[in-house]
Amino acid sequence: MKADPSTDVETPTAGRPRDPRIDVAILEATADLLVEIGYGALTMAAVAERAGTTKTALYRRWSSKAELVHEAAFPTAPTALGTPEGDIEGDVRAMIAATRDVFVTPVVRAALPGLIADMAADPDLNARVVSRFVGLFDLVRARLEHAIAHGEVHPDVDPARLIEIVGGATLLRILLDPGGPLDDAWVDQTAAIISHGVKM
């Protein structure tokens, strides 16, 4: 998809809203290029050319390649669980399945190795990226508090550690077997291990 460069006026105007069509074009161009050439070869100039806009337009929206790639790979942060409150085993399985579904997309698989390296080298970037998942962290905390109050989960289980275990298990599987599938059997087995470890 090409954005119309004429809509991306470089002269700042007080209160002028950002053109969402340019945002969409840039994110689509980034996703396409990630799959085609990989994170290492991706440049802001290449994205601007593919999107039909300018590097200035990119840097007005994203301060670095890593931030741009993160938004292209993870356009929305998960903020909900479909399981009813009180089903902690269902919650754990839903978290693993949702994480699996996000991580196995071609764009995320192409982005992850380089993105992880850049986040590790830049604490500010890491904090900005992690902040996008605050809603999910709050939801997991609320679900665990409910489960603890009803005697379903050990009271010393930390929501942040549970999120790390779920995300870490999925990430390590992808890094160890980049082209391998993460099927429902893997989700079920991983959920069972975690649930048996946290249930009273």
Side-chain angles (χ1 to χ4, degrees):
M1 175 178 176
K2 293 279 187 180
D4 179 1
S6 66
T7 65
D8 187 35
V9 178
E10 299 297 333
T11 304
T13 302
R16 180 179 180 270
R18 217 165 75 177
D19 188 339
R21 294 172 298 175
I22 296 173
D23 291 33
V24 170
I26 292 170
L27 292 171
E28 288 184 356
T30 303
D32 291 344
L33 286 169
L34 277 168
V35 175
E36 292 172 21
I37 64 176
Y39 186 92
L42 184 75
T43 65
M44 298 294 260
V47 172
E49 182 179 359
R50 175 68 66 92
T53 187
T54 64
K55 285 201 299 181
T56 302
L58 268 66
Y59 282 111
R60 279 206 306 267
R61 292 160 169 81
W62 296 276
S63 64
S64 68
K65 180 175 88 168
E67 286 194 90
L68 170 58
V69 166
H70 181 269
E71 189 163 341
F74 304 98
T76 58
T79 57
L81 292 172
T83 49
E85 190 172 59
D87 181 6
I88 191 63
E89 289 189 16
D91 283 349
V92 169
R93 192 194 185 285
M95 288 173 62
I96 296 169
T99 304
R100 181 270 313 268
D101 292 345
V102 169
F103 279 17
V104 298
T105 66
V107 175
V108 172
R109 283 186 183 252
L112 271 178
L115 189 58
I116 290 170
D118 281 354
M119 288 174 62
D122 185 344
D124 290 338
L125 170 64
N126 185 72
R128 290 194 296 273
V129 168
V130 171
S131 70
R132 298 185 67 212
F133 294 93
V134 168
L136 175 62
F137 298 163
D138 290 345
L139 176 60
V140 172
R141 182 175 294 103
R143 286 294 179 92
L144 280 179
E145 288 173 353
H146 178 275
I148 289 168
H150 289 78
E152 297 178 296
V153 171
H154 293 289
D156 59 350
V157 172
D158 186 328
R161 299 296 82 77
L162 179 58
I163 290 168
E164 289 171 2
I165 291 168
V166 170
T170 311
L171 179 59
L172 185 59
R173 175 61 184 266
I174 289 172
L175 293 176
L176 292 176
D177 188 10
L182 274 75
D183 56 15
D184 287 343
W186 179 86
V187 172
D188 290 339
Q189 291 164 4
T190 306
I193 290 170
I194 294 174
S195 294
H196 292 163
V198 300
K199 287 189 67 180
M200 295 290 282

